[in-house]
Amino acid sequence: MELFDTATVLTRVLTSGVVMSIEKSDRELPGLERQLTRLTGRAHAVLLNSRTGALHAALAGQGIGHGDTVALPAADTATEAFLNWLGVTVTVTADGAPPYDFLALDGGNADRLAAFAATATAPALVVDLTGLGFGPAAAVLTDDAGVRDRAERLKIFGAHDLRTMWTQEEADASLVPGVQFNYRLSPLVAACVRMALTQAARPAATSGARS
């Protein structure tokens, strides 16, 4: 059934002709954003194409960048190396207020996203969706519209939306990042992740066999 569901989702997206995240008619990315905000209870979701992109966006969204120091309760070697590459010094300590909470989802814990989010207290919640099996994907969840806006600007070459990207009309120069990245998630991956989260929320099927 899972392979059938995946094939159905892939067919739906590919036949729609919308395969880029900058197309106005895309429905997959907004659909995943709504699903994640509903599951986590956060007001805003920013979708990105990698765990590192989400970490970068979570920090940049709070104005944290080169020359700053962050306190984290834990940090693996790869995370610390990436943040150091951004010019951010990492202090591993149980004290202090971390800038983000982190959860890596996979098939075994995807149904516990809501429970984890309920205990998260940092300004941003970074969720790595890569473990669901459809390619690198991640999200930043937050209640702060400013964090959302700055994170969105970071991931799409400094543009906030299609209007600012294509016309170069700037609505808020203060939100333009100094360095611009392409951290956009594809609608195809978003659709598959959305399917996986939906399946994880379903009650386990029970067998009709009797002992």
Side-chain angles (χ1 to χ4, degrees):
M1 176 60 76
E2 184 175 346
L3 289 176
F4 175 79
D5 290 345
T6 302
T8 300
V9 169
L10 294 176
T11 300
R12 183 185 77 225
V13 177
L14 292 175
T15 56
S16 74
V18 180
V19 295
M20 295 182 65
S21 60
I22 58 174
E23 298 185 47
K24 289 183 178 180
S25 56
D26 168 54
R27 297 181 179 179
E28 305 300 340
L29 295 166
L32 180 56
E33 289 171 352
R34 288 192 298 270
Q35 184 178 32
L36 287 171
T37 55
R38 183 175 68 252
L39 288 171
T40 62
R42 301 305 193 272
H44 310 288
V46 180
L47 302 177
L48 302 107
N49 62 10
S50 66
R51 176 182 68 91
T52 51
L55 294 175
H56 190 180
L59 296 180
Q62 298 172 67
I64 300 171
H66 192 279
D68 294 324
T69 299
V70 296
L72 300 177
D76 57 50
T77 302
T79 297
E80 188 167 357
F82 176 69
L83 297 188
N84 287 339
W85 178 78
L86 293 176
V88 177
T89 300
V90 176
T91 300
V92 179
T93 175
D95 300 324
Y100 62 82
D101 291 303
F102 177 81
L103 176 65
L105 285 189
D106 56 34
N109 68 358
D111 61 331
R112 299 196 292 274
L113 173 58
F116 179 84
T119 66
T121 59
L125 169 59
V126 175
V127 180
D128 185 359
L129 303 162
T130 307
L132 295 175
F134 298 103
V140 175
L141 290 305
T142 182
D143 287 323
D144 189 322
V147 172
R148 184 272 317 273
D149 289 346
R150 286 186 288 271
E152 285 286 352
R153 286 295 186 103
L154 178 75
K155 80 175 187 181
I156 187 168
F157 304 114
H160 182 62
D161 53 30
L162 285 170
R163 180 180 58 78
T164 59
M165 181 175 185
W166 296 118
T167 68
Q168 301 299 305
E169 296 175 7
E170 186 50 65
D172 190 345
S174 67
L175 291 177
V176 179
V179 180
Q180 300 165 13
F181 290 80
N182 181 10
Y183 284 145
R184 296 172 297 155
L185 183 65
S186 77
L188 195 60
V189 174
C192 292
V193 168
R194 187 178 172 191
M195 175 195 68
L197 291 175
T198 299
Q199 291 179 337
R202 294 173 183 165
T206 56
S207 172
R210 296 181 180 179
S211 57

